[in-house]
Amino acid sequence: MIRFITKRLLLMAPILLGSTLFIFVILRVAPGDPVDRIVGPNVTKEVYENIRINHGLDKSIAEQYVVFLKNLSKGDLGNSILQRRPVIQVVKERIGITLKIGSAALLLSFLLAIPIGTFAAIYPGKPLDYLLMTFSMIGISMPTFWFASLLLYFLSYRFRLFPISGYETWQHYILPVVALGMTDAATSARMVRSSMLEVLGLDYIRTARAKGVSEKTIIFVHALKNALQPIITLLGMKIGWLFGGSAIVEIVFSIPGIGLLLVDSIFARDYPVVQGTMLILVVFIMIGNLLADVIHAIVDPRITFD
Amino acid sequence: MKKKTFLLLLGCLLFIGLAGCSKGPATDTSITSPLKSELIIGYEKDTETLDTFKTSWFSDSLIYVYDRLISRDYDFDYKPSLATRWETSEDGMVWTFYLKDGVTFHDGTPLSSADVAWTLNRIIDPEIAAPIAADYSSIREVIAKDPLTVEVHLNHPYANLPFVLSSTSAGIVSEKSYTEKGNTYGISALNGTGPFKFVEWKQGDRIVLEKNDAYEWGPDWMENGGKPQIDRIVMRIIPEENTRMMEIEAGNVHVLRDVPATFKDQLSKNENIKLFSGDATKLVYLAYATDKTPFNDIKVRKAINHAINRAEIVDYLMRKAATVADGYLPPALKSEYFADSSALSYDYDPESSKALLKEAGFPEGFTTTLAAENTSQFTKLAETLQHQLKEVGIDAKINMYDTASYADMLKSGKQDMFIRLYSWPNADILDYLLLSSQFPYPNHSRWNDSTTDDLIKSAASSSTWEERSKGYHKVQKHLIEQAVWAPIYIPEMTIAVRNEVKNFKFHPWIPQFNDNLTLE
């Protein structure tokens, strides 16, 4: 297992390098100049050029990339052009809030998706299946932004059950987590259903039934464990979604998380912040996928670490 | 083994999830249950830094944390602030400011002329490359003559110095604090002499200030020149406009700055909220690349001006939350504004427009592009202008851009017609946007005209304010005659204030929350 993990970790290096290069170039090729957000209409050419030089923006993209890699090797993600302070510090302040919302939403999503998908699969083609899958289809079709706005309008604004915006108390987290978690549960529930249906049609389930094992034991002991394997794969991929999806709820509920920081930084062309945030995101996704593979291999003896 | 792994996984998720729902670290919960003396203000955007030497875009908080030598009263006139008075040498090259005695910074150290000289000299220091330095280019050197006297030596006579010295960037910084705090200054520390002290800045979330109990040197034009009546100001960042509206209606925010026109009706129906409006020092205009065919022809430029129905745009698109713009400056600039702009401006007259196009050699009109930033306000405006221009035969294809791409496009000179907004409380905006030396950016209308250059330079180097104003009147008259832009409207600045806030007075620039304002 250690060999497997080491191999995978070593493979991460070129992926990481490739993704940093891709992000670096894309950002600089895109139209726009971060200095425009610092200076006003009345800036002199000298001051403008001085600011560009101070941030190394006068150098070629290749030179800038080499500097970026040199700094990265020392664990330095550079300084925000707009905020004039280390990117690490900026990201550190914001990442905790996003991780809280994202992980709570992921938990809620699985807690909803697993029973919904399972029950729909137990009664395929029956009214309960149609009912659950109709709800799931509504969830899939409904954009998170719209669902979050509806929750905000009715539950916070009209009925005053929850705070409208901010992140100070645990009550502030309920609606963002519900908005994010429920829309995701809709997709996951369909996946659990189809996986469960496949497992329930397998020979070992038929054998269990023939042996007279109770239906409850068949479903919850024998079938569910195997049906959940695709969910483990999904878990690895969901790490990226934690960031992307939370940007939407962060905007609606005015939560200063990393999603909102990324969106703001892209619009302001604050290259170092976008690079740093994306790099951390890539690392999270890679670690998530590695964890999913490791868990897969532990759970399913047919999969080896080789 | 499998069961254990599954349970472990579930346990981990549960732990992280519960951690997510726990209370945040050391945050003040007073936001959700405001204290009586805590004023909460909603803003759309946060600032990037609070260090005035490092940006051109300033947070309102700096107005309250710092004092400036000169202030602007409710009529937008220049009045003494930290300086009790000032005088100008006969040749207009030296301005002498006499400071108030007994003023102290928030850390208790006394304000001295050395801090004033240090602040202003640092802005103009080329080594520092302060983004705002161009505003101060008339200043050669600032000298502390004695502890309460400061001399500002100029490169040329400059009647506009009170504007520069009353702007947010001119807040007097404590040299000692700035040097001691290093890179943390402007992020976790600020030290000024203003009516409110800096407490904390949670980026993307809020800035918190608390009253300066020692404050007793407010300007004379304020009813309360002493310490503020409210204990704290919390400036909350709420990026989504619907969320901002809900927060003030729910009573969680007391004041909203810059209420969008689309929400004015909704808020005006709420009996717990009062709206305060006034003309903003902004202008929305249609510009065109004047060095390109057909816009290099004055007849075409005049035809475009005649084709635009500004009253319709103000009434229906802006829902009357704006006034028709006749000239190149907003009337809120008072003496700098050319009062005859209205008489000389181009009426909505499609027939005259068509006749001018015919004279210019475009009897069937022409095809062009119309660029704008992709905000909802400018998208609607672009569509309306497209429709109005079509009436006279100008077929404009709309291209929308995000802010950064828009600036890039204008710099590269790809524009034909384009919509712009400026927000600037001084006539010198015309210098920045129309002098040929500013070509190609920010002179994005690519106006290269020696008469405009001469008129602006003459006005800008006037030694008295009256002379300068007259000079800028000539500039504005010339620009109208040349139809350099098509001015459209001046948006209203609307501030929503809940009834709990007492004694709120509209200020054309920034609300003065220390002036007798109380909370019930």
Side-chain angles (χ1 to χ4, degrees):
Chain A
M1 186 163 91
I2 291 167
R3 212 173 126 231
F4 170 78
I5 294 173
T6 316
K7 213 164 100 184
R8 285 291 301 270
L9 283 174
L10 285 174
L11 264 177
M12 278 185 187
I15 299 173
L16 209 57
L17 199 69
S19 54
T20 56
L21 181 66
F22 181 73
I23 295 159
F24 201 90
V25 174
I26 283 282
L27 268 174
R28 280 158 180 79
V29 170
D33 184 344
V35 180
D36 285 337
R37 273 288 289 266
I38 301 171
V39 300
N42 47 347
V43 68
T44 59
K45 288 188 175 76
E46 294 73 33
V47 169
Y48 189 90
E49 283 310 315
N50 270 342
I51 295 171
R52 286 185 67 82
I53 292 166
N54 287 349
H55 290 284
L57 297 168
D58 57 321
K59 295 189 174 80
S60 68
I61 295 182
E63 282 175 290
Q64 288 183 48
Y65 187 62
V66 171
V67 173
F68 170 71
L69 286 183
K70 267 187 195 164
N71 289 338
L72 190 63
S73 65
K74 292 179 226 154
D76 179 6
L77 290 174
N79 281 332
S80 159
I81 297 174
L82 270 67
Q83 299 190 25
R84 312 277 186 111
R85 61 196 187 112
V87 172
I88 290 271
Q89 205 182 329
V90 176
V91 171
K92 224 168 100 184
E93 284 170 10
R94 304 283 194 103
I95 202 163
I97 305 166
T98 303
L99 284 178
K100 283 177 189 172
I101 295 173
S103 50
L106 198 58
L107 177 69
L108 176 71
S109 165
F110 286 164
L111 288 180
L112 288 172
I114 294 169
I116 290 174
T118 307
F119 279 109
I122 296 171
Y123 306 101
K126 299 276 166 54
L128 181 68
D129 182 26
Y130 284 120
L131 183 75
L132 292 174
M133 285 306 106
T134 305
F135 276 116
S136 160
M137 187 49 78
I138 292 170
I140 291 169
S141 318
M142 191 154 47
T144 309
F145 184 82
W146 191 61
F147 184 50
S149 301
L150 281 183
L151 289 176
L152 183 69
Y153 182 76
F154 286 105
L155 301 183
S156 296
Y157 178 64
R158 299 291 292 200
F159 303 119
R160 304 281 161 94
L161 297 173
F162 298 99
I164 295 172
S165 64
Y167 65 104
E168 287 77 34
T169 65
W170 64 271
Q171 289 97 327
H172 282 94
Y173 284 88
I174 294 176
L175 292 190
V177 167
V178 167
L180 203 55
M182 279 183 69
T183 44
D184 185 66
T187 325
S188 303
R190 291 188 84 82
M191 197 168 266
V192 173
R193 179 185 178 271
S194 63
S195 170
M196 192 68 168
L197 274 177
E198 198 186 317
V199 170
L200 286 175
L202 292 177
D203 289 347
Y204 81 96
I205 298 289
R206 201 180 310 129
T207 311
R209 282 196 177 120
K211 279 166 68 183
V213 179
S214 75
E215 198 61 21
K216 217 164 142 187
T217 315
I218 287 173
I219 289 162
F220 295 106
V221 178
H222 298 295
L224 188 60
K225 266 193 295 190
N226 289 326
L228 286 185
Q229 286 201 23
I231 294 288
I232 297 172
T233 314
L234 209 59
L235 183 71
M237 295 191 291
K238 289 281 178 191
I239 307 287
W241 165 84
L242 286 185
F243 287 82
S246 73
I248 294 163
V249 296
E250 283 170 17
I251 292 169
V252 175
F253 296 99
S254 303
I255 299 167
I258 201 148
L260 198 53
L261 174 73
L262 184 60
V263 172
D264 284 345
S265 306
I266 290 172
F267 281 123
R269 306 289 191 270
D270 196 344
Y271 302 145
V273 177
V274 180
Q275 283 155 206
T277 315
M278 292 297 288
L279 185 71
I280 289 165
L281 175 62
V282 171
V283 170
F284 266 89
I285 292 173
M286 289 194 303
I287 291 174
N289 280 302
L290 175 63
L291 276 179
D293 285 350
V294 171
I295 295 167
H296 251 306
I298 294 171
V299 172
D300 189 344
R302 289 170 303 176
I303 299 169
T304 64
F305 282 112
D306 297 325
Chain B
M1 176 70 178
K2 290 179 204 166
K3 195 176 174 184
K4 270 185 190 168
T5 312
F6 178 70
L7 287 174
L8 187 72
L9 190 68
L10 198 68
C12 285
L13 270 172
L14 194 66
F15 175 75
I16 302 169
L18 287 176
C21 294
S22 67
K23 195 175 175 296
T27 52
D28 191 333
T29 54
S30 56
I31 297 272
T32 48
S33 54
L35 297 170
K36 276 201 164 181
S37 55
E38 183 175 78
L39 184 78
I40 304 171
I41 311 160
Y43 286 88
E44 181 190 356
K45 280 183 185 160
D46 198 4
T47 187
E48 273 90 23
T49 174
L50 295 173
D51 186 337
T52 45
F53 303 120
K54 291 181 179 169
T55 186
S56 290
W57 305 103
F58 303 104
S59 160
D60 276 8
S61 61
L62 297 169
I63 288 291
Y64 314 117
V65 170
Y66 292 122
D67 280 321
R68 288 140 292 276
L69 291 177
I70 300 173
S71 59
R72 296 188 87 166
D73 67 7
Y74 291 107
D75 293 322
F76 223 30
D77 291 328
Y78 298 107
K79 293 284 165 69
S81 183
L82 280 181
T84 51
R85 64 189 175 92
W86 58 89
E87 57 200 34
T88 315
S89 65
E90 268 186 34
D91 60 358
M93 296 291 280
V94 180
W95 290 52
T96 307
F97 292 87
Y98 300 95
L99 303 183
K100 271 181 193 161
D101 198 5
V103 176
T104 55
F105 283 105
H106 297 149
D107 64 356
T109 54
L111 167 87
S112 83
S113 56
D115 293 299
V116 178
W118 178 82
T119 301
L120 301 177
N121 283 328
R122 188 176 168 84
I123 295 174
I124 58 173
D125 184 351
E127 296 265 308
I128 302 299
I132 200 72
D135 270 18
Y136 294 75
S137 58
S138 63
I139 300 177
R140 183 163 55 83
E141 192 185 13
V142 182
I143 299 168
K145 287 296 278 183
D146 65 53
L148 293 177
T149 312
V150 182
E151 277 182 3
V152 178
H153 293 252
L154 303 180
N155 291 313
H156 53 80
Y158 189 61
N160 201 29
L161 194 64
F163 166 71
V164 175
L165 296 182
S166 62
S167 63
T168 317
S169 60
I172 305 303
V173 180
S174 155
E175 179 184 1
K176 182 173 158 272
S177 294
Y178 194 90
T179 316
E180 277 174 9
K181 299 288 179 186
N183 284 335
T184 61
Y185 194 91
I187 293 167
S188 57
L190 284 179
N191 190 16
T193 62
F196 287 93
K197 295 192 274 190
F198 174 80
V199 177
E200 65 167 344
W201 177 24
K202 283 185 183 292
Q203 294 192 335
D205 180 33
R206 69 184 118 148
I207 296 171
V208 182
L209 310 176
E210 69 181 12
K211 76 170 166 186
N212 176 8
D213 279 317
Y215 195 74
E216 52 185 28
W217 45 85
D220 292 343
W221 53 268
M222 283 193 185
E223 272 181 41
N224 171 32
K227 64 182 178 187
Q229 308 278 335
I230 44 174
D231 293 327
R232 273 156 65 103
I233 291 180
V234 177
M235 298 171 156
R236 280 198 58 199
I237 314 302
I238 309 171
E240 230 288 304
E241 59 185 22
N242 281 300
T243 314
R244 281 203 302 283
M245 295 308 125
M246 290 180 199
E247 285 286 30
I248 192 164
E249 293 213 84
N252 299 325
V253 161
H254 297 114
V255 178
L256 274 194
R257 291 273 275 129
D258 293 329
V259 176
T262 39
F263 285 98
K264 260 189 86 175
D265 284 351
Q266 183 189 334
L267 290 184
S268 61
K269 284 176 196 149
N270 188 324
E271 57 189 24
N272 297 315
I273 296 169
K274 269 199 198 96
L275 296 180
F276 293 82
S277 296
D279 279 347
T281 51
K282 295 179 182 178
L283 177 74
V284 174
Y285 58 98
L286 175 68
Y288 18 79
T290 53
D291 62 340
K292 289 184 190 171
T293 310
F295 310 108
N296 53 357
D297 188 334
I298 188 169
K299 287 176 188 144
V300 172
R301 298 199 297 267
K302 285 184 177 176
I304 294 168
N305 272 267
H306 277 305
I308 297 171
N309 188 343
R310 292 167 288 159
E312 188 182 71
I313 291 170
V314 166
D315 288 350
Y316 299 105
L317 197 66
M318 293 303 293
R319 300 178 192 199
K320 299 191 174 162
T323 49
V324 165
D326 295 314
Y328 287 67
L329 290 178
L333 294 187
K334 295 171 68 179
S335 59
E336 292 170 279
Y337 177 68
F338 177 47
D340 290 338
S341 296
S342 176
L344 293 176
S345 69
Y346 302 90
D347 294 335
Y348 170 58
D349 186 352
E351 291 314 313
S352 297
S353 178
K354 283 179 196 167
L356 280 163
L357 284 176
K358 200 175 167 186
E359 274 180 49
F362 300 99
E364 303 300 321
F366 56 87
T367 306
T368 187
T369 60
L370 171 58
E373 273 184 64
N374 57 2
T375 60
S376 62
Q377 181 195 356
F378 289 140
T379 306
K380 287 178 201 160
L381 179 59
E383 286 165 358
T384 310
L385 289 173
Q386 182 189 40
H387 176 73
Q388 293 183 353
L389 292 167
K390 182 91 181 158
E391 296 282 304
V392 298
I394 300 172
D395 189 6
K397 181 179 167 267
I398 295 175
N399 293 328
M400 306 302 290
Y401 296 83
D402 71 274
T403 308
S405 308
Y406 196 45
D408 199 72
M409 186 276 291
L410 294 175
K411 275 183 194 174
S412 62
K414 289 178 189 154
Q415 67 273 37
D416 292 317
M417 300 176 91
F418 56 102
I419 295 168
R420 281 305 261 177
L421 156 80
Y422 75 65
S423 174
W424 194 255
N426 195 274
D428 63 2
I429 187 71
L430 301 176
D431 310 14
Y432 309 133
L433 298 180
L434 291 165
L435 274 177
S436 57
S437 56
Q438 300 291 97
F439 192 93
Y441 192 86
N443 181 350
H444 39 45
S445 45
R446 306 172 73 84
W447 182 242
N448 193 344
D449 173 45
S450 57
T451 312
T452 308
D453 287 353
D454 293 344
L455 287 171
I456 287 179
K457 280 173 190 162
S458 156
S461 57
S462 307
S463 51
T464 67
W465 184 262
E466 291 71 26
E467 207 182 296
R468 179 181 178 273
S469 296
K470 279 180 193 158
Y472 274 106
H473 294 168
K474 286 183 194 159
V475 176
Q476 292 166 72
K477 184 170 178 278
H478 178 66
L479 296 174
I480 295 174
E481 284 164 358
Q482 290 296 314
V484 180
W485 300 336
I488 304 174
Y489 63 82
I490 294 142
E492 257 183 12
M493 176 167 70
T494 303
I495 298 174
V497 181
R498 285 192 64 86
N499 290 346
E500 298 92 282
V501 181
K502 300 290 174 197
N503 305 326
F504 180 86
K505 272 201 265 180
F506 182 84
H507 189 283
W509 182 29
I510 285 171
Q512 308 292 317
F513 293 122
N514 50 311
D515 189 10
N516 250 359
L517 194 107
T518 56
L519 271 171
E520 270 187 359

